[in-house]
Amino acid sequence: MSGFAESLLAWFDVHGRHDLPWQHPRTPYRVWLSEIMLQQTQVTTVIPYFERFLQAFPELPDLARAPLDAVLAQWAGLGYYSRARNLHRAAQVCVAEHHGQLPASLVDLIKLPGIGRSTAAAILSQAFGQPAAVLDGNVKRVLSRVHGITEPVEQRHAEQRLWQLAEAALPTHRAADYTQAIMDFGATLCTQSQPACLMCPIQSICQARQLGLTATIPAKTAKAQVPERHTRMLLLKDGGHGLILERRPERGIWGGLYSLPELPVDADPGTWCDAHYRLRIGPTSTFSQFRHKFTHFTLRAEVLEAVVLPTAAMMDPGPLQWVSRAQLPTLGLPKPIKTLLKTLLVN
DNA sequence: AATTCGGGGAA
DNA sequence: TTCCCAGAATT
């Protein structure tokens, strides 16, 4: 029995997080949903989405039979929308192949879309009480510090080493508590900046602490600066309260969400609308401009406003959809688009 | 091995 | 501003 795991468990009993929403009740469905939402997303951000999602889809079969649009509407604003599409597909696989329940083995969990090695281990240990090693950002930070790993943690060699260390550290009992313990430890004590080493129960075995490297471990490789992309969007309205939205393709940014129709900056709006949507529009004017930062690029968008001229074809604008103001709250809208349309509703 | 996926909290 | 967060899928 390693002193490491026992120390973390003892620390967890006193200082751990025992009242997170997915811990009561701790069902496989709720644990799974939380793990997906928590991928690259902080706990405080997830909690309100988690509560609302469960209101809409209380059990796994409810999620499986829901339309994808309804799932994306609940996910809107949380980001990384492939998580929602994979979650939805995985629920349908569970109904079709696992009697409507989440499988209770590592290999079957990993087969489900959206579940990788670490998430599968988190679900297996927390929902089914079986020992399995997770390796998320918290665990990488804790283990790289304890063992004094100075290489960038993204590198293949360091990653493999960290998985080995994570496996080796596993206790044979209290599987769920240990997973929660090491993540809580990384999230609240062994933090990225200013870790609370003076309060740390394992400071005596921590290599980073002894070498004075807690500020430089975990090391990260430098990232290239993000490029900027320029686009135009159309705010197309009729005489009343309707406007036109476009459902974005599943691949690419904001996949599956509803947004304003986009066109290249060098295209003529009138010609574009006629050719792609069979719509005649009046003269355009700039409604607004905004910049939105993504992880790997910055989007600079110019929003052009125009009125749709009445024609026979205007009610069936190709891939686009007329949307009333009343429908807007039920649609999955990207955060900046939702903000933009909110300013519109005030007028 | 490198890129592509969002959005927000915190320093 | 910048960094990072209970990562996975794709190329």
Side-chain angles (χ1 to χ4, degrees), chain A residues 170-221:
Chain A
L170 274 184
T172 55
H173 67 133
R174 298 188 67 184
D177 284 348
Y178 175 73
T179 292
Q180 192 64 44
I182 192 167
M183 291 195 292
D184 284 0
F185 183 73
T188 66
L189 192 154
C190 194
T191 50
Q192 174 63 28
S193 64
Q194 295 189 305
C197 296
L198 295 180
M199 309 276 290
C200 180
I202 55 172
Q203 51 178 293
S204 64
I205 65 168
C206 180
Q207 293 295 307
R209 172 69 172 165
Q210 292 168 19
L211 298 172
L213 295 177
T214 56
T216 52
I217 298 178
K220 299 288 174 67
T221 55

Side-chain angles (χ1 to χ4, degrees), chain A residues 183-340:
Chain A
M183 291 195 292
D184 284 0
F185 183 73
T188 66
L189 192 154
C190 194
T191 50
Q192 174 63 28
S193 64
Q194 295 189 305
C197 296
L198 295 180
M199 309 276 290
C200 180
I202 55 172
Q203 51 178 293
S204 64
I205 65 168
C206 180
Q207 293 295 307
R209 172 69 172 165
Q210 292 168 19
L211 298 172
L213 295 177
T214 56
T216 52
I217 298 178
K220 299 288 174 67
T221 55
K223 295 179 223 169
Q225 72 172 26
V226 300
E228 184 173 274
R229 300 182 194 170
H230 189 18
T231 190
R232 273 174 163 175
M233 299 179 174
L234 292 172
L235 183 54
L236 301 177
K237 300 185 285 189
D238 61 5
H241 299 303
L243 62 116
I244 287 182
L245 294 182
E246 177 173 36
R247 190 178 192 280
R248 298 181 61 87
E250 309 248 318
R251 301 295 183 110
I253 209 80
W254 295 337
L257 271 63
Y258 287 85
S259 183
L260 295 176
E262 250 186 278
L263 73 165
V265 288
D266 56 354
D268 175 69
T271 307
W272 179 269
C273 286
D274 194 5
H276 292 81
Y277 317 135
R278 295 175 308 174
L279 287 177
R280 299 300 177 89
I281 64 174
T284 61
S285 62
T286 299
F287 176 77
S288 72
Q289 299 184 11
F290 68 87
R291 302 164 71 87
H292 186 73
K293 285 177 172 300
F294 294 101
T295 304
H296 54 292
F297 69 93
T298 298
L299 183 68
R300 185 160 59 94
E302 181 184 8
V303 182
L304 301 179
E305 181 180 25
V307 170
V308 177
L309 304 177
T311 62
M314 72 170 284
M315 292 317 293
D316 181 25
L320 310 185
Q321 297 181 32
W322 281 100
V323 173
S324 69
R325 295 193 177 198
Q327 283 176 272
L328 283 178
T330 70
L331 294 173
L333 301 172
K335 207 69 171 190
I337 302 301
K338 182 173 185 166
T339 302
L340 183 79

Side-chain angles (χ1 to χ4, degrees), chain A residues 4 8 133-150 153 158-159 161-170 178 182 185-186 190 202 205-208 217-218:
Chain A
F4 175 78
L8 284 191
V134 299
L135 190 63
D136 60 7
N138 290 313
V139 180
K140 284 180 182 173
R141 184 168 55 253
V142 171
L143 292 179
S144 62
R145 280 177 177 163
V146 170
H147 296 279
I149 296 175
T150 53
V153 290
E159 177 106 357
R161 178 88 202 287
L162 287 167
W163 271 113
Q164 289 177 354
L165 293 169
E167 302 274 4
L170 274 184
Y178 175 73
I182 192 167
F185 183 73
C190 194
I202 55 172
I205 65 168
C206 180
Q207 293 295 307
I217 298 178

